[in-house]
Amino acid sequence: MAVEKTGQRAAIPTVTLHDGTTMPRLGMGTWHLAEGRRPERQELAALQAGLDAGITLIDTAEMYADGRAESLVGHAIAGRDRSQLFLVSKVYPHNAGRAHLRRSLEASLKRLGTDYLDMYLLHWRGSVPLVETVECMEQAKADGLIRNWGVSNFDTDDMRELFGVPGGDDCAVNQDLYHLGSRGVEFDLLPWMDAHNVPLMAYCPLAQAGTLRDGLLDSLAVRDIATAHNVEPMQVLLAFVLRRPDTIAIPCSGSAGHVLDNLKALDIALGKDELAALDDAFPAPTSKEPLDME
Ligand SMILES: NC(=O)c1ccc[n+]([C@@H]2O[C@H](COP(=O)([O-])OP(=O)(O)OC[C@H]3O[C@@H](n4cnc5c(N)ncnc54)[C@H](OP(=O)(O)O)[C@@H]3O)[C@@H](O)[C@H]2O)c1
């Protein structure tokens, strides 16, 4: 994986979805943006810096900042070539049925200032039967409002159940928490997804700036690799997630500098010894673990 240097647009690698369309493997998350944690113009500049640098995938949700994250994204993409963007949003579980999905979707589209989503995800499982959510997703797809749909926070049993309902195997991705310090999905979920051609969208790929796992950023293994590649530990965490060919990472940042720094992860091909050192420090699971969530 190579990224062109400063001032040029990065060549973002892609994954091919089951319908033959491609999806970028590095995007920008938006959770906690537009919540007033910092000036909105700074967050807007961060998203725009990413877009200018060639990051075209943006992950958002109706939940984030009560829709204001979607509005921020709408602002960031205004005037850009829609066909070059890959927009992902998510529906609340309680809205994921016949009564509300269409209304939620249309509200998301309006806030984003677009007439379709590239990917629409069920944010997590709720009480609406999967068969009903799938039916609504398929209808939205048939109506041209979404190009593809997927799920989030689904474990192996959930995926098996989903693939058992009519149309359930049309699920294009599963978005789950995955980072060097939380590797439980490697035990049986990722092998199942690989076997069924369902790419992973890895959320919290930076372990929320290392805060989700003690010792992650201080780890000697991570620091040594960062030094060797002349990057910060954060980009090593990202390179670890991106080492899997069918995985999409969506780090979030409200800082333009951090967004651009994260692109450097695309240049890091972790060697065998480096991966072994990371495995020693943060071992792969040897048995089933509960799905980690944020
Ligand atoms: N489906 C779900 O249930 C679910 C759950 C959680 C998240 N998500 C999605 O996944 C995205 C990513 O997860 P996340 O935002 O929770 O966590 P994350 O991407 O692992 O970490 C975000 C944190 O990392 C910091 N950061 C980013 N780049 C950095 C850099 N180069 N150097 C130093 N700090 C850096 C950010 O601070 P700065 O802003 O200061 O850079 C922010 O505090 C979310 O935004 C959201 O779109 C989905």
Side-chain angles (χ1 to χ4, degrees), residues 30-31 38 59 152-153 175 206 208 250 252-254 258 262:
T30 60
W31 194 27
R38 68 190 116 199
D59 177 82
S152 179
N153 296 303
Q175 183 177 120
L206 306 176
Q208 294 189 338
I250 46 167
C252 178
S253 178
H258 287 169
N262 291 340

Side-chain angles (χ1 to χ4, degrees), residues 72-280:
L72 180 72
V73 173
H75 200 163
I77 63 172
R80 291 177 191 261
D81 181 353
R82 174 66 183 88
S83 68
Q84 297 302 307
L85 301 172
F86 196 105
L87 299 181
V88 182
S89 194
K90 312 183 198 78
V91 62
Y92 268 123
H94 60 262
N95 286 335
R98 277 179 217 108
H100 301 300
L101 185 137
R102 181 60 70 105
R103 196 181 61 193
S104 273
L105 174 55
E106 285 172 353
S108 288
L109 292 174
K110 190 165 178 206
R111 287 188 289 266
L112 287 162
T114 186
D115 51 9
Y116 71 93
L117 292 176
D118 295 278
M119 186 74 72
Y120 198 33
L121 306 181
L122 169 61
H123 208 147
W124 64 91
R125 276 194 84 165
S127 56
V128 175
L130 288 177
V131 66
E132 185 176 333
T133 300
V134 170
E135 188 188 304
C136 296
M137 290 288 194
E138 288 292 316
Q139 190 59 53
K141 194 171 161 181
D143 294 343
L145 298 183
I146 62 175
R147 295 272 160 93
N148 263 300
W149 63 266
V151 292
S152 179
N153 296 303
F154 270 44
D155 204 345
T156 320
D157 286 348
D158 302 306
M159 292 304 295
R160 284 203 187 97
E161 199 180 322
L162 176 66
F163 269 54
V165 309
D169 60 357
D170 197 30
C171 169
V173 296
N174 180 18
Q175 183 177 120
D176 282 337
L177 185 151
Y178 182 53
H179 59 75
L180 175 63
S182 180
R183 301 179 59 176
V185 293
E186 288 178 31
F187 184 70
D188 66 350
L189 178 60
L190 294 187
W192 189 96
M193 287 166 57
D194 289 345
H196 292 80
N197 193 19
V198 180
L200 170 73
M201 277 188 87
Y203 75 70
C204 299
L206 306 176
Q208 294 189 338
T211 59
L212 296 181
R213 174 78 190 258
D214 283 345
L216 196 56
L217 295 180
D218 297 338
S219 139
L220 208 56
V222 171
R223 299 198 80 82
D224 282 351
I225 295 170
T227 305
H229 290 270
N230 200 20
V231 294
E232 295 297 321
M234 221 64 84
Q235 285 86 57
V236 175
L237 298 191
L238 209 45
F240 174 79
V241 167
L242 289 169
R243 83 198 184 290
R244 283 182 38 88
D246 279 352
T247 296
I248 299 136
I250 46 167
C252 178
S253 178
S255 146
H258 287 169
V259 170
L260 298 180
D261 282 347
N262 291 340
L263 278 168
K264 295 178 193 158
L266 296 174
D267 274 338
I268 306 172
L270 294 169
K272 219 170 143 197
D273 292 348
E274 292 174 325
L275 287 169
L278 293 175
D279 276 341
D280 276 349

